[in-house]
Amino acid sequence: MKRLFLIPVVFLLSSCVKKQGSFAKPPIDSFDTTLGRMSFFIDGNETNSFHVSGQKINNKLVVNGNKNKVFENRLVPFHAFTLCFDNNSLSRQRLFKVNSSIVYSDSSKGWAQFGTMADDGDVVCELFDIRESDSTNNWVQIKKQQNDFGEVWGNFRVSFSKVQDCKSKFYSDDLVVTNGYFHVFVK
Amino acid sequence: MKTKKITLTFFVVFQIFYYSSFVAQTSIFRMANDTTVGTMSAKQVANYRILLHNDMYNSIKVIETERLAQVIDSSRIFISLPFFEDTSLTFMAQSFDYKNDSNFVWVGVYTNDSAAKISHGAITIMRDSGIYIGHLNLDDSSYELFDLTDGIQVFCKSKLAGDGLCGEPNITNNNDTIVGSKPGDNPCGNITTRVLVLYTSEATQVNPNITGSAALAVSQLNTIWSNSGIYNTVILAGVRQLSFTQNLANPSGDAALLASNSTAQALRVSYKADMVILLARDSYSGGINGVVNAVDALPSQAYAISQVNHATDGRFTFTHELQHLYGARHSVDLDNSPVNAHGLIFNTECTGFFNQFCNTRRTIMASLPSGLSRIEHTSNPSVNFHNKPTGASNRNNANQIIDKLVYIANFVPDAIPKHGWMTAKKSNCSVPARFNVVVCDDPESFTYSWYKSYNGINWFSVGANSSTYFQNGKAFYFIKCIVNMGNNRFYNFQLFVHGCVFNDFTTALPIENLTGTTAINQQGRSNIATSIEPEISGQNDMFSVYPNPSSGDFNVQFLNQSSKKGKVIIFDYTGKQIEVIETIELKIGLNDFKILPKNKLSKGVYFIRIIGTEKSLLKLLVIE
């Protein structure tokens, strides 16, 4: 009789044991506007859930907008948008295809790049470079700044062409990014 | 423990001196005397045990000084390998980049010596920030030089995949069993892939011993492959610093920027590396420790990034990212294609009333939450770990990697075509003899040049197919075949003889006293995979001269960033100027010129200098 009683007890106890490989509830993919904001339209569809961050490298301001996905209790960037341009000018700056050898140097031209990730976030899926034939429409402009460019507001517009594709793709081959807006705190 | 069976009963003495007319006489090796495992520091013993655990070497010898090597004359060194090969060899300097005793690269090729039973060999000894690393290849044998740190080095004779005669492993992994293919099952032997490790200066802030980490990472990868039934190897092509600024919020952008970085691309060509991986200081947003440009990469996408400390810890990020390039996938993925190439998470050693308490095991490509580690296996249903299969029918990354080995190994062909030799001396042939050279996998991508000779000196072209016939009644008759584009591959020479008697038959692996009567099928195997090491030298690393040795004409290949014109100067060993070829039009990027000296160069050693590029380039040329 005692044995019959023990079986359900053991079962109940064992069901409470946390299996290896299970995790706590993942964090909410929150969109905290106090950290800044980035929004734009892709082919006419608005997207605004991009986490934004900014940093100064040489005389360049690098603005990153990431659309994150919760993976294994972490926020992993699966869509990443990067703008890199002179951080000391309020005039409209033209954006070019990135020169990989002088990415952040003082002499490099402004550029933008957009990519998506696959698998667990460590494999590049799609990659977009600026479509330079649409030159006059590739630009970024700082509209406002304070604290010596420590906090920056700006607009941008970019035309992209896909330079790498993958099976789990999200976007079409040509993208037109319009109504771009960012507000970023620069590290 | 089998490790205890590995006793250091012999001590190899290894010392190389080098001097030339350009570099003052310099001792490039200063190693410890009278070193045994018992006298090593804990750190040295730990590194030594890593090498043992890697199970890649037939034997490991601690190096001592004073006896093994000596200078013969300028640019030649003499090396004795009494405990490995019972032979002595002479190497001719091919390039030497000397900054100081702690930073240099010495590359030499074996010079034929009738007394030694070696057909070809190459040696690369480099020292980076005081850390030694090196390779020595002699025909089918391969050796590696590792630094145990603090002045103690070891010289290891490598096991070759496909070599079923290499003896018992030094150590076994608990209950591991290999059910599937055995080393001898691979008829093509070892297919090697070359990986160039780049690193940022910031990475050295968290891990100063980058060279050691790179060597360890490659060793770990080879161990994981060996554990997983993948009997092929990855070779460390070189370790170089790259100026690269991480954008931690955009790993995809960084991976793409690395792949399109012109310096990284040039280094990849210079080191003849099929793949490139950058060791960087930081992990990316979201705890991403590594990133790769593509699963199942194209040649242009074969670039990866790994956070330096996670490259070789329990995450094995270095191996993980490189395996992506071969098409290996995580536990799950969105497109599920190919369906069989995934990692596996499985349980072992379950206990409890309902077997509910288990050790969860993750293969190399399995998803991995932070704080956990992977086992040194990639998924393969034919290989067990602790009596459990490490894969399943839809979880077989090992199979995916094997499928892509040749594809990846051919990403960067050698600028200098590797070639194999076969010579035979025959007599009394009444019917044609057929000689056949067999290149494993995709033989159509190779070229074959057959030659005959009556004296072993003057050669005549006789064919350009993978097999050829010879009809000649000469008593002494030599043949050879040069196989071009044998990139990182073994190939087999096979000899089919009908109605002939061959008194001698020699390939890279000498086969003596071959006598055939009616039909003989003999084969020798040439390890062309590692017979010629990359030319590694700081200022000259974009400059190569080929073929080298040459019979007279030769090509120079170099990278030019801005100059429009240059000139080539040939001078002999004494410094006497032999010829100047003025006003060569240069193009930006890779230049490749055929040099036709006006006056035939006699046999000997020459130096080729290119003037007009950003730097004056110098290379040694042997005319034979």
Side-chain angles (χ1 to χ4, degrees), chain A residues 10-11 14 17 20-21 23 53 55 57 62 64 66 71-72 74-77 80 82 98 100-101 103-104 111 113 115-117 119-124 127 164 167-168, chain B residues 245 247 249-253 255-257 260-262 285-288 290-295 301 320-321 324 329-330 333-335 337 354 356-358 360 362 367-369:
Chain A
V10 170
F11 180 80
S14 64
V17 175
Q20 286 189 25
F23 311 105
S53 62
Q55 60 180 317
I57 303 177
V62 182
N64 291 294
N66 288 341
F71 182 79
E72 291 178 340
R74 296 172 285 139
L75 283 174
V76 175
T82 298
V98 60
S100 300
S101 297
V103 181
Y104 305 112
W111 55 271
Q113 199 173 49
T116 65
M117 305 295 280
D119 288 270
D120 295 355
D122 70 338
V123 177
V124 180
L127 201 66
Q164 178 175 317
K167 291 175 182 173
S168 49
Chain B
T245 303
N247 180 358
N250 191 349
S252 62
L257 290 174
S260 57
N261 184 295
S262 59
S285 301
I288 296 175
V291 60
V292 66
N293 272 290
V295 170
Q301 297 169 326
H320 177 100
E321 300 305 337
H324 269 314
R329 289 180 170 276
H330 295 149
D333 63 87
L334 293 175
D335 56 35
S337 175
F354 294 101
Q356 73 272 37
F357 303 109
C358 300
T360 301
R362 291 172 171 81
S367 303
L368 186 69

Coordinates of all heavy atoms in Angstrom, one line a residue, chain A residues 10-11 14 17 20-21 23 53 55 57 62 64 66 71-72 74-77 80 82 98 100-101 103-104 111 113 115-117 119-124 127 164 167-168, chain B residues 245 247 249-253 255-257 260-262 285-288 290-295 301 320-321 324 329-330 333-335 337 354 356-358 360 362 367-369:
Chain A
V10 N 6.2 10.5 -6.0 CA 7.4 10.7 -6.8 C 7.1 11.3 -8.2 O 7.9 12.2 -8.6 CB 8.0 9.3 -7.0 CG1 9.2 9.4 -8.0 CG2 8.5 8.7 -5.7
F11 N 6.0 11.0 -8.8 CA 5.6 11.6 -10.0 C 5.4 13.1 -9.9 O 5.9 13.9 -10.7 CB 4.3 10.9 -10.6 CG 3.9 11.4 -11.9 CD1 4.5 11.0 -13.0 CD2 2.9 12.4 -12.0 CE1 4.1 11.5 -14.3 CE2 2.5 12.9 -13.2 CZ 3.1 12.4 -14.3
S14 N 8.8 14.7 -9.4 CA 9.6 14.7 -10.6 C 9.1 15.7 -11.6 O 9.9 16.3 -12.3 CB 9.7 13.3 -11.2 OG 8.4 13.0 -11.7
V17 N 10.7 19.1 -11.2 CA 12.1 19.3 -11.5 C 12.3 20.0 -12.8 O 11.7 19.6 -13.8 CB 12.9 17.9 -11.5 CG1 14.3 18.1 -12.0 CG2 12.8 17.2 -10.2
Q20 N 17.0 20.5 -17.7 CA 18.0 21.3 -18.3 C 17.6 21.7 -19.7 O 17.1 20.9 -20.4 CB 19.3 20.4 -18.3 CG 20.0 20.3 -17.0 CD 21.3 19.6 -17.2 OE1 22.0 19.8 -18.2 NE2 21.8 19.0 -16.1
G21 N 17.9 22.9 -20.0 CA 17.5 23.3 -21.4 C 16.3 24.1 -21.4 O 15.9 24.7 -22.4
F23 N 14.0 27.4 -19.9 CA 14.5 28.7 -19.4 C 13.3 29.5 -18.8 O 12.2 29.2 -19.0 CB 15.0 29.5 -20.6 CG 16.0 28.7 -21.4 CD1 15.7 28.1 -22.6 CD2 17.3 28.4 -20.9 CE1 16.6 27.4 -23.3 CE2 18.2 27.6 -21.6 CZ 17.8 27.1 -22.8
S53 N 20.6 52.7 -31.5 CA 21.8 53.0 -30.7 C 22.7 53.9 -31.6 O 22.6 53.8 -32.8 CB 22.5 51.8 -30.2 OG 23.0 51.0 -31.3
Q55 N 26.8 55.6 -31.9 CA 28.1 55.8 -31.3 C 28.9 56.6 -32.3 O 28.7 56.7 -33.5 CB 28.8 54.4 -31.1 CG 28.9 53.6 -32.4 CD 29.6 52.3 -32.1 OE1 30.6 52.2 -31.4 NE2 29.1 51.2 -32.7
I57 N 32.5 57.2 -34.0 CA 33.8 56.6 -34.3 C 34.5 57.6 -35.2 O 34.0 57.9 -36.3 CB 33.6 55.3 -35.1 CG1 32.8 54.3 -34.2 CG2 34.9 54.7 -35.4 CD1 32.5 53.0 -34.9
V62 N 27.6 56.7 -36.1 CA 27.1 55.4 -36.6 C 25.7 55.2 -35.8 O 25.7 55.1 -34.6 CB 28.0 54.3 -36.3 CG1 27.5 53.0 -36.8 CG2 29.4 54.6 -36.9
N64 N 22.6 52.7 -35.4 CA 22.1 51.3 -35.7 C 20.7 51.2 -35.3 O 20.3 51.6 -34.2 CB 23.0 50.3 -34.9 CG 24.4 50.2 -35.4 OD1 24.6 49.8 -36.5 ND2 25.3 50.7 -34.6
N66 N 18.0 48.2 -34.9 CA 17.8 46.7 -34.9 C 16.4 46.3 -34.6 O 15.8 46.8 -33.6 CB 18.7 46.1 -33.8 CG 20.2 46.2 -34.2 OD1 20.5 46.4 -35.3 ND2 21.1 46.0 -33.2
F71 N 15.4 35.1 -28.4 CA 15.9 33.8 -28.7 C 16.7 33.3 -27.5 O 17.7 34.0 -27.1 CB 16.8 33.8 -30.0 CG 17.4 32.5 -30.3 CD1 16.6 31.5 -31.0 CD2 18.7 32.1 -29.9 CE1 17.1 30.3 -31.3 CE2 19.2 30.9 -30.2 CZ 18.4 30.0 -30.9
E72 N 16.3 32.2 -26.9 CA 17.0 31.7 -25.7 C 17.2 32.8 -24.7 O 18.3 33.0 -24.2 CB 18.3 31.1 -26.1 CG 18.1 29.8 -26.9 CD 19.4 29.1 -27.3 OE1 20.5 29.8 -27.3 OE2 19.4 27.9 -27.6
R74 N 17.3 35.9 -24.9 CA 18.1 37.0 -25.3 C 17.4 37.8 -26.4 O 16.7 37.2 -27.2 CB 19.5 36.6 -25.8 CG 20.3 35.9 -24.8 CD 21.6 35.4 -25.4 NE 21.4 34.2 -26.1 CZ 21.9 33.8 -27.3 NH1 22.7 34.7 -27.9 NH2 21.6 32.7 -27.9
L75 N 17.7 39.1 -26.5 CA 17.2 39.8 -27.7 C 18.3 39.8 -28.7 O 19.3 40.4 -28.6 CB 16.9 41.3 -27.2 CG 15.6 41.5 -26.5 CD1 15.4 42.9 -26.0 CD2 14.4 41.1 -27.3
V76 N 18.0 39.1 -29.8 CA 19.0 38.9 -30.9 C 18.6 39.8 -32.1 O 17.4 39.7 -32.5 CB 19.1 37.4 -31.2 CG1 20.0 37.3 -32.4 CG2 19.6 36.6 -30.0
P77 N 19.5 40.6 -32.6 CA 19.1 41.4 -33.8 C 19.0 40.5 -35.0 O 19.9 39.9 -35.4 CB 20.3 42.4 -33.9 CG 21.4 41.7 -33.2 CD 20.9 40.8 -32.2
A80 N 19.0 44.4 -39.2 CA 19.9 45.5 -38.7 C 20.1 46.5 -39.8 O 20.4 46.2 -40.9 CB 21.2 44.9 -38.3
T82 N 22.1 50.1 -40.6 CA 23.2 51.0 -40.1 C 23.3 52.2 -41.0 O 23.3 52.1 -42.3 CB 24.5 50.2 -40.1 OG1 24.4 49.2 -39.1 CG2 25.6 51.1 -39.6
V98 N 29.0 51.3 -49.1 CA 30.1 51.3 -48.2 C 31.4 50.9 -48.8 O 31.4 49.9 -49.6 CB 29.8 50.4 -47.0 CG1 29.5 49.0 -47.4 CG2 30.9 50.5 -45.9
S100 N 34.5 49.1 -47.9 CA 34.8 48.2 -46.8 C 36.2 48.4 -46.2 O 36.5 47.9 -45.2 CB 34.7 46.7 -47.3 OG 33.4 46.5 -47.7
S101 N 37.1 49.0 -47.0 CA 38.5 49.2 -46.5 C 38.6 50.4 -45.6 O 39.6 50.5 -44.8 CB 39.4 49.3 -47.7 OG 39.4 48.1 -48.4
V103 N 35.9 52.0 -43.6 CA 34.5 52.1 -43.1 C 34.2 53.3 -42.3 O 33.3 54.1 -42.5 CB 34.1 50.8 -42.4 CG1 32.7 50.8 -41.9 CG2 34.4 49.6 -43.2
Y104 N 35.0 53.5 -41.3 CA 34.7 54.6 -40.3 C 35.8 55.6 -40.3 O 35.9 56.4 -39.3 CB 34.6 54.0 -38.9 CG 33.6 52.8 -38.8 CD1 34.0 51.5 -38.6 CD2 32.2 53.1 -38.9 CE1 33.1 50.5 -38.5 CE2 31.3 52.1 -38.8 CZ 31.7 50.8 -38.6 OH 30.8 49.8 -38.5
W111 N 27.5 56.2 -45.6 CA 27.0 55.0 -46.2 C 25.8 54.4 -45.3 O 25.6 54.8 -44.2 CB 28.1 53.9 -46.3 CG 28.8 53.6 -45.1 CD1 30.0 54.2 -44.6 CD2 28.5 52.6 -44.1 NE1 30.4 53.6 -43.5 CE2 29.5 52.6 -43.2 CE3 27.5 51.6 -44.0 CZ2 29.5 51.7 -42.0 CZ3 27.5 50.7 -42.9 CH2 28.5 50.8 -42.0
Q113 N 23.6 50.5 -44.7 CA 23.6 49.1 -45.0 C 22.4 48.5 -44.3 O 22.1 48.9 -43.2 CB 24.9 48.4 -44.7 CG 25.1 47.1 -45.3 CD 26.5 46.5 -45.1 OE1 27.0 46.5 -43.9 NE2 27.2 46.1 -46.1
G115 N 20.6 44.6 -43.3 CA 20.8 43.1 -43.4 C 19.8 42.4 -42.5 O 19.3 42.9 -41.5
T116 N 19.6 41.1 -42.8 CA 18.8 40.3 -41.9 C 19.6 39.0 -41.6 O 20.5 38.7 -42.3 CB 17.5 39.9 -42.6 OG1 17.8 39.0 -43.8 CG2 16.7 41.1 -43.1
M117 N 19.2 38.4 -40.5 CA 19.9 37.2 -40.0 C 19.1 36.0 -40.1 O 17.8 36.1 -40.0 CB 20.4 37.5 -38.6 CG 21.3 38.7 -38.4 SD 22.8 38.6 -39.3 CE 23.8 37.6 -38.2
D119 N 18.9 31.5 -38.9 CA 19.3 30.6 -37.9 C 19.2 31.2 -36.5 O 18.2 31.8 -36.2 CB 20.7 30.0 -38.2 CG 20.7 29.1 -39.4 OD1 20.5 27.9 -39.2 OD2 20.8 29.6 -40.5
D120 N 20.2 31.1 -35.7 CA 20.1 31.6 -34.3 C 20.6 33.1 -34.2 O 20.9 33.6 -33.2 CB 20.9 30.8 -33.4 CG 20.3 29.4 -33.3 OD1 19.3 29.1 -33.9 OD2 21.0 28.5 -32.6
G121 N 20.7 33.7 -35.4 CA 21.1 35.1 -35.4 C 22.6 35.2 -35.7 O 23.2 36.3 -35.6
D122 N 23.3 34.1 -36.0 CA 24.7 34.2 -36.3 C 25.0 33.9 -37.8 O 26.2 33.8 -38.1 CB 25.5 33.3 -35.4 CG 25.3 31.8 -35.7 OD1 24.3 31.5 -36.3 OD2 26.2 31.0 -35.4
V123 N 24.0 33.9 -38.6 CA 24.2 33.7 -40.0 C 23.5 34.8 -40.8 O 22.3 35.1 -40.6 CB 23.6 32.3 -40.5 CG1 23.8 32.2 -42.0 CG2 24.3 31.2 -39.7
V124 N 24.3 35.4 -41.6 CA 23.7 36.5 -42.5 C 22.7 35.9 -43.5 O 23.0 34.9 -44.1 CB 24.8 37.3 -43.2 CG1 24.2 38.4 -44.1 CG2 25.8 37.8 -42.3
L127 N 21.3 40.7 -47.5 CA 22.2 41.9 -47.4 C 21.9 42.9 -48.4 O 21.7 42.5 -49.6 CB 23.7 41.4 -47.5 CG 24.7 42.3 -46.8 CD1 24.5 42.4 -45.3 CD2 26.1 41.8 -47.2
Q164 N 22.9 39.9 -51.3 CA 23.0 38.5 -50.9 C 21.6 38.1 -50.5 O 20.8 38.9 -49.8 CB 23.9 38.4 -49.7 CG 24.0 36.9 -49.2 CD 25.0 36.7 -48.1 OE1 26.1 37.2 -48.2 NE2 24.7 36.0 -47.1
K167 N 17.4 31.5 -48.2 CA 16.1 30.9 -48.4 C 15.0 31.5 -47.5 O 13.9 31.6 -47.9 CB 16.3 29.4 -48.1 CG 17.1 28.7 -49.2 CD 17.4 27.2 -48.8 CE 18.2 26.6 -49.8 NZ 18.7 25.2 -49.4
S168 N 15.4 31.8 -46.3 CA 14.4 32.4 -45.4 C 14.4 33.9 -45.5 O 14.5 34.6 -44.5 CB 14.7 31.9 -44.0 OG 16.0 32.2 -43.7
Chain B
T245 N 37.1 47.6 -37.2 CA 36.3 48.1 -36.1 C 35.0 47.4 -36.0 O 34.2 47.4 -37.0 CB 36.1 49.6 -36.2 OG1 37.3 50.3 -36.3 CG2 35.3 50.2 -35.1
N247 N 31.2 46.8 -35.2 CA 29.9 47.5 -34.9 C 29.0 46.5 -34.2 O 28.4 45.6 -34.8 CB 29.3 47.9 -36.2 CG 27.9 48.6 -35.9 OD1 27.5 48.8 -34.8 ND2 27.3 49.1 -37.0
A249 N 26.3 46.4 -32.8 CA 24.9 46.3 -33.0 C 24.5 45.6 -34.3 O 23.3 45.4 -34.6 CB 24.3 47.7 -32.9
N250 N 25.5 45.4 -35.1 CA 25.2 44.9 -36.5 C 26.1 43.8 -36.9 O 27.0 44.0 -37.7 CB 25.2 46.1 -37.5 CG 24.6 45.7 -38.8 OD1 24.4 44.5 -39.1 ND2 24.4 46.7 -39.7
P251 N 25.9 42.6 -36.4 CA 26.8 41.5 -36.8 C 26.7 41.1 -38.3 O 27.7 40.8 -38.9 CB 26.3 40.3 -35.9 CG 25.0 40.7 -35.5 CD 24.9 42.2 -35.4
S252 N 25.5 41.3 -38.8 CA 25.4 40.9 -40.3 C 26.3 41.9 -41.1 O 26.9 41.5 -42.1 CB 24.0 41.0 -40.7 OG 23.4 42.3 -40.5
G253 N 26.2 43.2 -40.7 CA 27.0 44.2 -41.4 C 28.5 43.9 -41.3 O 29.2 44.0 -42.2
A255 N 30.0 41.1 -40.7 CA 30.4 39.9 -41.5 C 30.5 40.3 -43.0 O 31.5 39.8 -43.7 CB 29.3 38.8 -41.3
A256 N 29.6 41.1 -43.4 CA 29.7 41.5 -44.9 C 30.9 42.4 -45.1 O 31.5 42.3 -46.1 CB 28.4 42.2 -45.2
L257 N 31.1 43.3 -44.1 CA 32.3 44.2 -44.3 C 33.6 43.5 -44.3 O 34.5 43.8 -45.0 CB 32.3 45.3 -43.2 CG 31.1 46.3 -43.3 CD1 31.1 47.2 -42.1 CD2 31.3 47.1 -44.6
S260 N 34.1 41.8 -47.7 CA 34.4 42.7 -48.8 C 35.7 43.6 -48.5 O 36.0 44.5 -49.2 CB 33.2 43.6 -49.1 OG 32.8 44.3 -47.9
N261 N 36.3 43.3 -47.3 CA 37.5 44.1 -47.0 C 38.7 43.7 -47.9 O 39.1 42.5 -47.9 CB 37.8 43.8 -45.5 CG 39.0 44.6 -45.0 OD1 40.1 44.5 -45.5 ND2 38.7 45.5 -44.1
S262 N 39.2 44.6 -48.6 CA 40.2 44.3 -49.6 C 41.5 43.8 -49.0 O 42.2 42.9 -49.6 CB 40.5 45.5 -50.5 OG 41.0 46.6 -49.6
S285 N 25.6 42.3 -30.0 CA 24.3 42.4 -29.3 C 23.5 41.1 -29.3 O 23.6 40.3 -30.2 CB 23.4 43.5 -30.0 OG 24.1 44.7 -30.1
G286 N 22.9 40.9 -28.2 CA 22.1 39.6 -28.0 C 23.0 38.4 -27.7 O 22.5 37.3 -27.8
G287 N 24.2 38.7 -27.3 CA 25.1 37.6 -26.9 C 25.6 36.7 -28.0 O 25.9 35.6 -27.8
I288 N 25.6 37.3 -29.2 CA 26.1 36.6 -30.4 C 27.6 36.6 -30.3 O 28.2 37.6 -30.5 CB 25.6 37.2 -31.7 CG1 24.0 37.1 -31.7 CG2 26.2 36.5 -32.9 CD1 23.4 37.8 -32.9
G290 N 29.6 34.8 -32.4 CA 30.2 34.7 -33.7 C 29.2 34.9 -34.8 O 28.0 34.9 -34.6
V291 N 29.7 35.1 -36.0 CA 28.8 35.4 -37.1 C 29.5 34.9 -38.4 O 30.7 34.9 -38.5 CB 28.4 36.9 -37.2 CG1 29.6 37.8 -37.4 CG2 27.3 37.1 -38.3
V292 N 28.7 34.5 -39.3 CA 29.2 33.9 -40.5 C 28.3 34.5 -41.7 O 27.2 34.8 -41.5 CB 29.2 32.4 -40.5 CG1 27.8 31.8 -40.5 CG2 30.0 31.8 -41.6
N293 N 28.9 34.6 -42.9 CA 28.2 35.2 -43.9 C 27.1 34.4 -44.6 O 26.2 34.9 -45.1 CB 29.2 35.6 -45.1 CG 29.7 37.0 -44.8 OD1 29.0 38.0 -44.9 ND2 31.0 37.1 -44.4
A294 N 27.3 33.1 -44.5 CA 26.3 32.2 -45.1 C 26.5 30.8 -44.6 O 27.6 30.4 -44.3 CB 26.4 32.3 -46.6
V295 N 25.4 30.1 -44.6 CA 25.4 28.6 -44.5 C 25.7 28.1 -45.9 O 25.0 28.5 -46.8 CB 24.1 28.1 -43.9 CG1 24.1 26.6 -44.0 CG2 24.0 28.5 -42.4
Q301 N 31.9 34.3 -49.7 CA 31.3 34.4 -48.4 C 32.0 33.7 -47.3 O 31.5 33.7 -46.2 CB 29.8 33.8 -48.5 CG 28.9 34.6 -49.5 CD 27.6 33.8 -49.8 OE1 27.6 32.6 -49.8 NE2 26.6 34.5 -50.0
H320 N 32.2 26.2 -34.6 CA 30.8 26.3 -34.9 C 30.7 27.2 -36.2 O 29.9 26.8 -37.1 CB 30.1 27.0 -33.7 CG 28.7 27.3 -33.9 ND1 27.7 26.5 -33.5 CD2 28.1 28.3 -34.6 CE1 26.5 27.0 -33.8 NE2 26.7 28.1 -34.5
E321 N 31.3 28.3 -36.2 CA 31.1 29.3 -37.3 C 31.7 28.7 -38.6 O 31.1 28.8 -39.7 CB 31.7 30.6 -37.0 CG 31.2 31.3 -35.8 CD 29.7 31.5 -35.8 OE1 29.1 31.5 -36.9 OE2 29.0 31.6 -34.8
H324 N 29.5 26.2 -40.2 CA 28.4 26.8 -41.0 C 28.8 27.0 -42.5 O 28.0 26.8 -43.4 CB 28.1 28.2 -40.5 CG 27.0 28.2 -39.4 ND1 25.9 27.6 -39.5 CD2 27.0 28.9 -38.2 CE1 25.1 27.8 -38.4 NE2 25.8 28.6 -37.6
R329 N 24.2 23.2 -39.9 CA 23.1 24.0 -39.4 C 22.9 23.8 -37.9 O 23.3 22.8 -37.3 CB 21.8 23.8 -40.2 CG 21.9 24.3 -41.6 CD 20.5 24.1 -42.3 NE 20.5 24.8 -43.6 CZ 20.1 26.0 -43.7 NH1 19.8 26.7 -42.6 NH2 20.1 26.6 -44.9
H330 N 22.1 24.7 -37.3 CA 21.7 24.6 -35.9 C 20.7 23.5 -35.7 O 20.4 22.7 -36.6 CB 21.1 25.9 -35.4 CG 22.1 27.0 -35.4 ND1 21.7 28.3 -35.6 CD2 23.5 27.0 -35.3 CE1 22.8 29.1 -35.6 NE2 23.9 28.4 -35.4
D333 N 16.1 25.3 -38.0 CA 16.2 26.5 -38.8 C 14.9 26.7 -39.6 O 14.1 25.8 -39.7 CB 17.4 26.5 -39.8 CG 17.3 25.4 -40.8 OD1 16.7 25.6 -41.8 OD2 17.8 24.2 -40.5
L334 N 14.8 27.9 -40.2 CA 13.6 28.3 -40.8 C 13.2 27.5 -42.0 O 12.1 27.0 -42.3 CB 13.6 29.8 -41.1 CG 13.6 30.7 -39.9 CD1 13.7 32.1 -40.3 CD2 12.3 30.5 -39.0
D335 N 14.2 27.3 -42.9 CA 13.9 26.7 -44.2 C 14.1 25.2 -44.2 O 13.7 24.5 -45.1 CB 14.7 27.3 -45.3 CG 16.2 27.3 -45.1 OD1 16.7 26.3 -44.5 OD2 16.9 28.2 -45.5
S337 N 16.5 23.2 -44.7 CA 17.1 22.6 -45.9 C 18.6 22.8 -45.9 O 19.1 23.9 -45.8 CB 16.5 23.3 -47.2 OG 17.1 22.8 -48.3
F354 N 12.2 7.7 -13.0 CA 11.7 7.8 -14.4 C 12.8 8.3 -15.4 O 12.6 8.8 -16.4 CB 10.6 8.8 -14.5 CG 9.4 8.4 -13.8 CD1 9.1 8.9 -12.5 CD2 8.5 7.4 -14.3 CE1 8.0 8.5 -11.8 CE2 7.4 7.0 -13.6 CZ 7.1 7.5 -12.3
Q356 N 14.6 10.7 -15.2 CA 14.3 12.1 -15.5 C 15.5 13.0 -15.2 O 15.5 14.2 -15.6 CB 13.1 12.6 -14.7 CG 13.4 12.8 -13.2 CD 13.1 11.5 -12.4 OE1 13.4 10.4 -12.8 NE2 12.6 11.7 -11.2
F357 N 16.6 12.5 -14.6 CA 17.8 13.3 -14.3 C 18.8 12.9 -15.3 O 19.4 11.8 -15.2 CB 18.3 13.1 -12.9 CG 17.2 13.4 -11.9 CD1 16.7 12.3 -11.1 CD2 16.8 14.7 -11.6 CE1 15.7 12.6 -10.2 CE2 15.8 14.9 -10.7 CZ 15.3 13.9 -9.9
C358 N 19.1 13.8 -16.3 CA 20.0 13.4 -17.4 C 21.1 14.5 -17.5 O 20.9 15.7 -17.1 CB 19.2 13.3 -18.7 SG 18.0 12.1 -18.7
T360 N 22.3 16.8 -20.3 CA 21.9 17.2 -21.7 C 23.2 17.5 -22.5 O 24.0 18.3 -22.0 CB 21.0 18.4 -21.6 OG1 19.9 18.1 -20.8 CG2 20.6 18.9 -23.0
R362 N 25.0 18.7 -26.1 CA 24.7 19.5 -27.3 C 25.9 19.4 -28.2 O 27.1 19.6 -27.8 CB 24.6 21.0 -26.9 CG 23.3 21.3 -26.2 CD 23.2 22.7 -25.6 NE 21.9 23.0 -25.1 CZ 21.5 22.7 -23.9 NH1 22.3 22.0 -23.1 NH2 20.3 22.9 -23.5
S367 N 22.0 24.7 -30.8 CA 21.8 26.0 -30.1 C 22.2 25.8 -28.7 O 22.1 24.8 -28.0 CB 20.3 26.3 -30.1 OG 19.8 26.3 -31.4
L368 N 22.8 27.0 -28.2 CA 23.4 26.9 -26.9 C 23.1 28.1 -26.0 O 23.6 29.2 -26.3 CB 24.9 26.8 -27.1 CG 25.7 26.5 -25.8 CD1 25.5 25.1 -25.3 CD2 27.2 26.7 -26.1
P369 N 22.3 28.0 -25.0 CA 22.1 29.1 -24.1 C 23.4 29.5 -23.4 O 24.3 28.7 -23.3 CB 21.1 28.6 -23.1 CG 20.5 27.4 -23.8 CD 21.5 26.8 -24.6

